[in-house]
């Protein structure tokens, strides 16, 4: 069990970022840490992963093999992705897991410098190094950022698999972590961590763009919130309400410019 | 399997291989190496005179070159990328040690090149004792340069430009003091035509300095 005991962190000349965090993390299900911007989530994750020491307090029971994904995986190296993953596996003392990149649907060049990768592909390399074989503690800072839908689903599946044996701690702003089965939800507020209720998964919505002769009036007649921009009316609706809304808008003389996922 | 193969030494070597692989691909390490080779070409192109005295110039060159190399290798990774490596290595220690290993390997390579060059291309006699003197003298300068370079890099100084500036000032200020070990006294010993006994201590001291700086850097880096 990874135990975070009375951890305080203060950077030079700054206010305290963490003010007495107590946390016990166990394998079995991923732990999801929420908190506002600048609340200290990334600082806590760096301390749990072993990249930084707390000013006061300690972390005990950290397993020998740790996988860490920072908030934005930089990938500015001249090494190609394949070579980077081989080196990182050797540094961890675990066998490389070349199939992971394929599972994430990595489409970038494997033998060219990582600095040339797109943001999404770089993120997949970062995830592949963090989730490789033999890992005992996985710490992922905003792992869904920049991932396409298929890779985001793969990550959810992988976290479920990995969490069976390893301790998993993630942060997330995309809402994906809310749908992780059995996840434990935590919130960081005022430098302390508390258990939090699972956030409600966001309903999928449809974004509609209409071109109307009098958009302000149409918006009023339709009775829905929306944004007027030039001659266009931007609306959002639940999938079940989108058809009646479009029908009504067409009858009011609008033409549909686009309909798509929000 | 939640295991880890090998201890801290194995991890440090793995980190060294990783940093070396990336450094070799970047052009940043080429310049200091070219500088050393250029000085050797000029120095030993004409008639440099009897060994070991001419090595004074190549030793004095290797000092800033080694500092430049160490600084470059310490800055190979972006600080965030460094976090990923530290987490994978299980701590800052093996990463700092791996950085030191790569820098010292570079010093050794350039030292061997600097010693063998005049032995091959000049007609002057080079006994094993003279060769050993030259090698130890170059290692003293190389390891001192590595210590200075690591002390002017992250986590002590975060910006590469400022690192280079501070490193240059330290190297220039210390290289021209003939009494100051390890580099100044080594150059003086070569000028006096001394044997290996005169440069063993400076070489050992330089190596100790580099190890101490590495240890201090790993302690400092964990605070960030």
């Amino acid at each position: 069990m990874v135990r975070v005991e009375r951890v305080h962190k203060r950077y030079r000349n700054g206010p305290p970022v963490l003010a007495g965090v107590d946390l016990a993390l166990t394998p079995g299900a991923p732990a999801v840490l929420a908190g506002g911007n600048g609340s200290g989530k990334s600082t806590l994750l760096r301390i749990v992963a072993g990249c930084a020491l707390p000013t006061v307090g300690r972390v005990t029971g950290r397993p020998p093999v740790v996988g860490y994904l920072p908030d934005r995986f930089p990938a500015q190296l001249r090494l190609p992705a394949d070579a980077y993953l081989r080196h990182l596996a050797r540094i961890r003392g675990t066998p490389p897991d070349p199939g992971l990149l394929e599972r994430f649907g990595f489409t970038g060049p494997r033998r060219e410098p990582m600095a040339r990768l797109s943001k999404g592909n770089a993120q997949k390399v970062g995830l592949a190094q963090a989730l490789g074989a033999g890992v005992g503690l996985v710490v992922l800072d905003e792992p869904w950022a920049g991932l396409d839908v298929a890779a985001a689903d793969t990550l959810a599946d992988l976290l479920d698999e990995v969490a069976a044996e390893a301790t998993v701690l993630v942060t997330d702003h995309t809402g994906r972590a809310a749908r992780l089965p059995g996840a434990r939800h935590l919130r960081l507020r005022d430098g302390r961590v508390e258990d939090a209720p699972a956030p409600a998964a966001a309903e999928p919505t449809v974004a509609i763009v209409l071109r109307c002769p009098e958009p302000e009036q149409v918006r009023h007649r339709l009775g829905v919130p929306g944004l007027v921009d030039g001659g266009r009316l931007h609306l959002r609706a639940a999938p079940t309400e989108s058809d009646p809304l479009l029908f009504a808008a067409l009858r009011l003389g609008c033409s549909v410019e686009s309909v798509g996922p929000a | 399997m939640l295991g880890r193969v090998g201890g801290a030494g194995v991890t440090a070597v793995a980190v060294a291989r990783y940093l070396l692989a990336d450094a070799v691909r970047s052009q940043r390490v080429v310049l200091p190496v070219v500088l050393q080779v250029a000085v050797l070409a000029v120095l030993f192109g004409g008639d440099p005179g009897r060994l070991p005295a001419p090595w004074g110039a190549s030793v004095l060159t290797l000092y800033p070159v080694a500092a430049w190399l160490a600084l470059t290798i310490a800055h190979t990774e972006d600080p965030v990328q460094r976090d990923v490596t530290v987490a994978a290595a299980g701590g800052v220690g093996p990463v700092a040690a791996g950085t030191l290993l790569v820098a010292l390997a570079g010093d050794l390579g350039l030292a061997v090149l600097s010693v063998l060059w005049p032995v091959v291309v000049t007609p002057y006699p080079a006994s094993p004792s003279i060769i050993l003197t030259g090698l130890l003298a170059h290692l003293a300068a190389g390891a001192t340069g590595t210590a200075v370079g690591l002390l002017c890099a992250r986590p002590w100084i975060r910006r590469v430009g400022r690192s280079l500036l501070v490193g240059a000032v330290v190297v220039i200020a210390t290289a021209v003091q003939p009494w100051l070990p390890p580099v100044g006294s080594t150059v003086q010993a070569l000028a006096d035509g001394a044997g290996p006994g005169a440069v063993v201590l400076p070489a050992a001291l330089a190596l100790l300095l580099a190890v101490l700086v590495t240890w201090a850097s790993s302690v400092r880096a964990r605070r960030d």
Side-chain angles (χ1 to χ4, degrees):
Chain A
M1 190 197 296
V2 181
R3 277 184 183 281
V4 179
E5 297 174 6
R6 302 180 311 282
V7 160
H8 293 248
K9 183 73 178 182
R10 172 197 283 267
Y11 291 108
R12 222 184 326 169
N13 305 329
V17 183
L18 302 175
V21 173
D22 280 297
L23 188 59
L25 298 164
T26 49
V32 181
L33 179 67
N37 295 123
S39 61
K41 298 191 297 290
S42 295
T43 299
L44 179 58
L45 261 57
R46 286 184 72 232
I47 290 172
V48 170
C51 304
L53 277 182
T55 316
V56 179
R58 58 179 189 161
V59 178
T60 59
R62 194 184 290 119
V65 181
V66 178
Y68 169 64
L69 177 77
D71 183 14
R72 27 162 216 102
F73 184 71
Q76 282 158 3
L77 295 170
R78 271 79 33 180
L79 279 176
D82 270 1
Y84 176 75
L85 291 177
R86 264 200 317 277
H87 278 289
L88 263 280
R90 196 183 291 128
I91 290 170
R92 296 199 322 195
T94 56
D97 198 342
L100 262 181
L101 265 189
E102 262 132 52
R103 241 183 116 175
F104 277 116
F106 178 83
T107 53
R110 284 163 168 259
R111 294 181 205 291
E112 283 181 40
M114 289 202 328
R116 292 194 200 144
L117 292 178
S118 70
K119 182 175 191 278
N121 279 325
Q123 182 79 347
K124 289 170 187 176
V125 175
L127 284 166
Q129 66 78 27
L131 291 167
V135 72
L137 169 64
V138 179
V139 178
L140 308 177
D141 203 347
E142 301 288 337
W144 278 279
L147 289 187
D148 51 45
V149 176
D153 289 341
T154 303
L155 176 59
D157 293 346
L158 265 168
L159 283 184
D160 202 33
E161 290 169 28
V162 171
E165 275 196 64
T167 303
V168 178
L169 177 63
V170 298
T171 63
D172 172 46
H173 263 122
T174 64
R176 283 298 308 230
R179 283 182 267 159
L180 287 176
R184 175 184 174 198
H185 292 273
L186 304 162
R187 168 163 281 281
L188 181 59
R189 188 186 290 161
D190 301 328
R192 288 161 185 271
V193 171
E194 57 203 33
D195 276 293
E203 282 278 309
T205 52
V206 180
I208 300 167
V209 182
L210 303 167
R211 185 174 280 283
C212 312
E214 305 218 19
E216 198 59 62
Q217 213 172 350
V218 170
R219 189 173 68 93
H220 190 71
R221 293 278 295 272
L222 290 173
V224 291
L227 194 77
V228 176
D229 155 39
R232 291 189 184 82
L233 178 58
H234 298 258
L235 300 174
R236 273 163 198 267
T240 48
E241 296 163 7
S242 60
D243 285 353
L245 193 68
L246 282 168
F247 190 64
L250 289 171
R251 286 184 55 159
L252 289 170
C254 300
S255 65
V256 178
E257 207 166 81
S258 72
V259 178
Chain B
M1 183 198 75
L2 305 179
R4 179 182 194 99
V5 183
V10 177
T11 308
V13 171
V15 171
R17 287 177 68 176
Y18 158 65
L19 292 175
L20 184 65
D22 197 59
V24 165
R25 281 164 191 275
S26 89
Q27 284 97 38
R28 288 184 207 154
V29 294
V30 174
L31 262 176
V33 173
V34 165
L35 178 63
Q36 182 74 20
V37 171
V39 167
L40 292 177
V42 173
L43 183 61
F44 300 121
D47 182 3
R50 292 183 72 87
L51 297 171
W55 274 324
S58 58
V59 162
L60 265 184
T61 312
L62 185 56
Y63 182 32
V65 162
W68 190 351
L69 265 182
L71 212 155
T72 306
I73 289 156
H75 283 251
T76 288
E77 286 190 302
D78 160 284
V80 181
Q81 193 95 50
R82 173 55 52 105
D83 276 350
V84 175
T85 310
V86 166
V92 178
V95 179
T99 309
L100 176 68
L101 284 179
V102 177
L104 288 181
D107 297 343
L108 184 64
L110 289 176
V112 168
L113 181 72
S114 307
V115 170
L116 289 186
W117 193 308
V119 171
V120 172
V121 303
T122 64
Y124 297 104
S127 66
S129 160
I130 289 180
I131 290 178
L132 184 62
T133 307
L135 194 61
L136 286 172
H138 283 89
L139 287 179
T144 311
T146 295
V148 170
L150 294 179
L151 201 53
C152 294
R154 290 183 202 122
W156 308 100
I157 299 177
R158 305 195 73 81
R159 298 224 190 118
V160 186
R162 194 174 296 176
S163 293
L164 282 170
L165 188 70
V166 175
V169 169
V170 173
V171 166
I172 290 168
T174 54
V176 293
Q177 314 293 332
W179 53 269
L180 186 70
V183 178
S185 61
T186 298
V187 173
Q188 190 60 45
L190 288 176
D192 298 342
V199 283
V200 164
L201 268 181
L205 178 64
L207 206 58
L208 183 68
L209 273 179
V211 171
L212 278 178
V213 168
T214 302
W215 173 77
S217 301
S218 73
V219 171
R220 173 74 180 75
R222 284 168 65 85
R223 301 245 175 102
D224 283 343

